[in-house]
Amino acid sequence: MAAKKVFGSAEASNLVTELRRSFDDGVTRGYEWRVTQLKKLMIICDNHEPEIVAALRDDLGKPELESSVYEVSLLRNSIKLALKQLKNWMAPEKAKTSLTTFPASAEIVSEPLGVVLVISAWNYPFLLSIDPVIGAISAGNAVVLKPSELAPASSALLTKLLEQYLDPSAVRVVEGAVTETSALLEQKWDKIFYTGSSKIGRVIMAAAAKHLTPVVLELGGKSPVVVDSDTDLKVTVRRIIVGKWGCNNGQACISPDYILTTKEYAPKLIDAMKLELEKFYGKNPIESKDMSRIVNSNHFDRLSKLLDEKEVSDKIVYGGEKDRENLKIAPTILLDVPLDSLIMSEEIFGPLLPILTLNNLEESFDVIRSRPKPLAAYLFTHNKKLKERFAATVSAGGIVVNDIAVHLALHTLPFGGVGESGMGAYHGKFSFDAFSHKKAVLYRSLFGDSAVRYPPYSRGKLRLLKALVDSNIFDLFKVLLGLA
Amino acid sequence: MEGMKETVEESLREMRETFASGRTRSLKWRKAQIGAIYEMVKDNEDKICSALFQDLGKHSTEAFRDELGVVLRSATVAINSLDKWAVPKHSNLPLLFYPAKGKVISEPYGTVLVLSSWNFPISLSLDPLIGAIAAGNTVLLKSSELSPNASAFLAKTIPAYLDTKAIKVIEGGPDVATILLQHQWDKIFFTGSPKIGRIVMAAAAQHLTPVTLELGGKCPTIVDHHTISKNIKSVVKRIAGGKWGSCSGQACISVDYVLIEKSYASSLIDMLKPTIKSFFGENPKESGCLSKIATKQHVQRLSRLLNDPRVQASIVHGGSIDEEKLYVEPTILLDPPLDSEIMNEEIFGPILPIITVRDIQESIGIIKTKPKPLAIYAFTNDENLKTRILSETSSGSVTFNDVMIQYMCDALPFGGVGESGIGRYHGKYSFDCFSHEKAIMEGSLGMDLEARYPPWNNFKLTFIRLAFREAYFKLILLMLGLKR
């Protein structure tokens, strides 16, 4: 068995040099190359789904349906869209010119940034690796992918599949942990796309700053769910449940983190949740095969600590069972934990759902606004005014009304954070744009030059300039005809 | 400095409070503020021109063309377009999600910081300010201490015209900037050098603050004599204007150096000389039409660039320096060595190297050895060369057959790539620069699909798979029990 190869600064530097040479040689620029790579990615989705499902089961205990839908199907759609739209996306966009620059024509040309780095996360290891890579390739870049070491089976499978199918002169995978990531971050990239925690997001951006490398940071936060009494309770509860425990058991960046509702409505909400939870996961949810497990013992201990905190452990109204050996924690609902408890201070990223009650629903806006901006904010209501106020005044990466998480699947909406939840966006054409430089191109004629532009400067020239700048054609003629 | 720290913190507190009050969200408020900027410039044209003359020896015509006119136009465009810009963009959602609706709304980041520069101290302060206000932010502007009169004007006059609880000005140098950068902002907009750009981005990384960095670079100008010889007079004038006609070469988009075939170099020089004379007379120092160099240190820097004996030997016109009068003569160099300092840093002054090549196609290779500039200029009618330039080089923008004028085209994004910057502005891009694009999705509580919820089984898996494929017909078959 070969010893694991060292990947340090020298290897990282060589890797970038090699990919840059490929990029400079034009390997990745052509439409054909991009389409070929995308089609190969499609083959991976079509032919290797069982292996992907198996790797996700190993790494996360992810149920087959979640793997198939949230990792493979979403990717397949992403590839399909890129294949269908790539010609459009690559085409220059015409821009309007003004009287000042007349005669001229202008356009905006999308060009690849060069050699880009995609750093992925462990919770949706295939989706969060390949979806950004789809964007990078569509835009014509060479790309290095660094999958998360916390999902080792997925990381190994990604490496195997990408090496097997994609063009190694321009697309590479580097496996590893802190050492390898640090070595990669020392290099000069033309873009870095990172999915992960706010803490590491800062480290990534600081490293990028050394080279003036632009970044997309897809981070997280505590995504709140506001539940109004004027809603369809059963549908609301079902969507919250499947959005929380049905998406990697709460370990997702847009997972409903906590619920805000009125004191009056909370009991109804909790009862409905208990009922539906049992329907979905049986009388002993901790044993259900339809939920992912906790990823590893570190996270298990972290979540345990959140539950065990004084003033929190006595607020459990449902669940709370733990099984460290199998890395399982039952779907757990808590009622009115203190606002300054640990569980309300960090992104939970697990199967615990605090419900906070308020005297009236309006207060929820202030609660949300007093906290860092989350990746998503959810509201369940029939009330049109409430929906409008929520959308207008709650700042988050994205807002979803009357559903959970589905906006992830919509390629026509930009997916990204704001403030602590990140910067930049992707999905659909936004992915293509994220990995492109939009180059402004102005075509001028050598005719039609105005002495006005040049020294020596005079009052007449100044008047003419003023008219040109205002682009008021009547003033312009007045000056030209000496009438002003 | 303690006093300054307190001032900054108090300002931040007040601006955040103002933002939280919602006042800046109103389009009416924003238009009123931008209108006030317009009035401020119009009312104080003489004062502003005087300040620019004192700081940089700028002639009032240049001041109007490059600064006042830009701001007036920018304000007019913003006021006229704001209603359109602020309209939510509706997105089409796939049929699967019917009757869900999606849209994207532009939301202000919050409290933003604009760090301006000394070479166009009025427009590089007020233009980003207009963008920040148009997008609904509260904003703090730090003007450059190297243009003290312009800075003083802004610090004194902005409070007289604008809402002081929302828009603030701070004067000062690097020490003030350092204090500002220690605090958390919702966005930072910086115009300046790549060196300081790195510092700004590193500081921003600590708070996950998104940045727009408008930096610089060596903007090359290709002269393809073959195809433009008929209009050579225009070409020469434009190049001369692009070098000496705007702040004496101290602009981020100034013509930095020229590339031309060896056999045409001397005729170019022979045409440039009389052009310089026609602009500035026999003694440019006394012409009143040539801007001064910013400070003695900047003169010394340019002096040092010229002091290299190999560079000295390449002077074919000009070369004289008067440090006291902050004057560097319009200077032309013929083939200074490519490894000299002057050919490896942004000149930012009135010195024009002419680099000769055997075949104009070689100019592309030379450009590619240098960091990506803010602009590339090319005088040519050769479609092949144009295509090569567009596809083989990378820069913020490319302008064919003119220089600098892309700045005036507000349908084109203005910004850099790589070393020349991150992000862009002008026109609607200014509005977007200071906005978070928030995705909003509204689902329907009415239509609920059982297949969305656990417990999972093969039917549900197949259903969801087909749904994602948008294979609606097969989906119907499945539901009718006609498909396995």
Side-chain angles (χ1 to χ4, degrees), chain B residues 276-307:
Chain B
I276 293 173
K277 197 152 133 210
S278 77
F279 284 3
F280 306 115
E282 286 295 342
N283 194 357
K285 204 194 308 192
E286 313 296 330
S287 71
C289 290
L290 178 70
S291 294
K292 287 187 301 192
I293 306 304
T295 65
K296 288 210 174 115
Q297 282 85 343
H298 288 80
V299 175
Q300 285 158 10
R301 183 185 66 87
L302 291 166
S303 205
R304 203 189 65 236
L305 293 180
L306 285 181
N307 277 345

Side-chain angles (χ1 to χ4, degrees), chain A residues 57-104:
Chain A
R57 195 178 299 118
D58 272 349
D59 284 334
L60 299 157
K62 205 174 267 206
E64 183 188 356
L65 185 135
E66 283 190 44
S67 300
S68 179
V69 170
Y70 295 126
E71 302 237 29
V72 182
S73 285
L74 280 181
L75 279 176
R76 204 183 270 119
N77 275 7
S78 194
I79 299 166
K80 218 168 76 183
L81 181 77
L83 284 169
K84 184 159 171 239
Q85 296 291 343
L86 191 57
K87 274 224 159 77
N88 278 344
W89 292 350
M90 284 173 71
E93 196 192 306
K94 283 239 161 292
K96 239 179 57 196
T97 53
S98 63
L99 196 62
T100 333
T101 52
F102 170 85

Side-chain angles (χ1 to χ4, degrees), chain A residues 113-132:
Chain A
L113 290 162
V115 181
V116 306
L117 174 65
V118 172
I119 300 177
S120 173
W122 55 261
N123 55 342
Y124 286 83
F126 288 89
L127 181 66
L128 300 177
S129 297
I130 298 182
D131 213 1

Side-chain angles (χ1 to χ4, degrees), chain B residues 221-284:
Chain B
T221 304
I222 298 174
V223 180
D224 173 24
H225 206 282
H226 292 291
T227 62
I228 48 86
S229 48
K230 271 203 314 217
N231 302 101
I232 190 69
K233 272 212 177 99
S234 255
V235 174
V236 171
K237 251 193 150 167
R238 289 178 184 186
I239 291 175
K243 182 55 137 182
W244 297 290
S246 189
C247 209
S248 200
Q250 302 166 101
C252 51
I253 45 171
S254 281
V255 167
D256 189 281
Y257 65 104
V258 163
L259 293 149
I260 192 168
E261 279 178 13
K262 201 169 172 62
S263 42
Y264 300 111
S266 51
S267 89
L268 176 67
I269 293 168
D270 288 341
M271 292 184 77
L272 278 169
K273 290 184 188 179
T275 306
I276 293 173
K277 197 152 133 210
S278 77
F279 284 3
F280 306 115
E282 286 295 342
N283 194 357

Side-chain angles (χ1 to χ4, degrees), chain B residues 125-137:
Chain B
S125 297
L126 296 178
D127 209 358
L129 205 68
I130 288 170
I133 294 170
N137 299 280

Side-chain angles (χ1 to χ4, degrees), chain B residues 355-375:
Chain B
I355 305 294
T356 63
V357 290
R358 270 170 318 148
D359 184 311
I360 199 63
Q361 304 284 333
E362 288 169 24
S363 50
I364 291 180
I366 294 179
I367 292 173
K368 283 171 69 161
T369 63
K370 302 186 179 304
K372 301 176 183 182
L374 200 42

Side-chain angles (χ1 to χ4, degrees), chain A residues 132-148:
Chain A
V133 166
I134 290 168
I137 289 175
S138 306
N141 300 279
V143 50
V144 172
L145 167 67
K146 155 78 189 68
S148 171

Side-chain angles (χ1 to χ4, degrees), chain A residues 29 46 49 63-65 68-69 73-74 76-77 80 95-98 100-101 106-108 111 113 190 198 201-202 205-206 208-214 217 219 231-232 235-236 238-239 242 279-281 290 373 380-382 387 391-392 394-403 406-407 409-410 412-414 417-420 423 437-449 453-458 462 465-466 469-471, chain B residues 25 45 59-62 64-65 69 73 91-94 97 102-105 107 109 194 197-198 201-202 204-211 213 215 228 231 234-235 237-238 241 245 278-280 289 368 372 379 386 389-391 393-403 405-406 408-409 411-413 416-419 422 424 429 436-445 447-448 450 452-456 460-461 464-465 468-469:
Chain A
R29 308 291 294 247
D46 288 342
E49 188 171 325
E64 183 188 356
L65 185 135
S68 179
V69 170
S73 285
L74 280 181
R76 204 183 270 119
N77 275 7
K80 218 168 76 183
K96 239 179 57 196
T97 53
S98 63
T100 333
T101 52
E107 61 186 12
I108 298 167
E111 79 181 8
L113 290 162
D190 298 303
S198 307
R202 284 169 164 79
M205 190 172 170
K210 297 206 175 83
H211 299 287
L212 289 171
T213 298
L217 304 175
L219 311 175
T231 186
D232 185 320
V235 176
T236 299
R238 283 164 28 125
R239 289 181 182 179
V242 80
K279 279 196 208 157
F280 289 2
Y281 301 117
D290 285 339
K373 299 177 182 184
F380 284 89
T381 186
H382 283 127
K387 289 180 197 176
V394 171
S395 185
I399 305 266
V400 182
V401 176
N402 292 339
D403 215 329
V406 277
H407 61 311
L410 295 170
T412 48
L413 289 176
V418 64
E420 286 287 313
M423 56 183 77
H437 166 53
K438 302 286 175 175
K439 186 158 75 179
V441 183
L442 187 63
Y443 298 88
R444 276 271 286 157
S445 158
L446 284 165
F447 305 113
D449 211 9
R453 285 177 60 169
Y454 309 110
Y457 300 124
S458 66
L462 183 56
L465 263 174
K466 286 190 178 184
V469 161
D470 284 339
S471 279
Chain B
R25 311 297 289 249
E45 259 182 53
H59 189 281
S60 54
T61 303
E62 209 186 287
F64 185 85
R65 184 195 66 200
R73 185 170 166 73
S91 300
N92 286 328
L93 301 188
F97 292 90
K103 63 184 179 189
V104 178
I105 65 179
E107 157 185 283
Y109 278 116
R198 284 170 164 80
M201 188 170 170
Q206 299 310 310
H207 300 284
L208 290 172
T209 300
V211 299
L213 307 174
L215 311 176
I228 48 86
N231 302 101
S234 255
V235 174
K237 251 193 150 167
R238 289 178 184 186
S278 77
F279 284 3
F280 306 115
C289 290
K368 283 171 69 161
K372 301 176 183 182
F379 288 92
K386 286 186 195 175
I389 290 169
L390 282 179
S391 59
T393 66
S394 183
S395 54
S397 64
V398 176
T399 299
F400 290 110
N401 296 330
D402 209 335
V403 298
I405 203 147
Q406 72 275 17
M408 305 287 293
C409 182
L412 282 178
V417 63
E419 286 287 308
I422 296 177
R424 58 216 187 146
Y429 298 103
H436 163 54
E437 304 286 305
K438 187 165 76 178
I440 316 236
M441 187 204 151
E442 187 181 332
S444 161
L445 287 167
M447 292 190 50
D448 208 16
E450 276 309 312
R452 286 185 61 174
Y453 306 111
W456 304 130
K460 291 182 180 178
L461 178 53
I464 295 179
R465 272 211 185 106
F468 266 93
R469 281 204 152 105

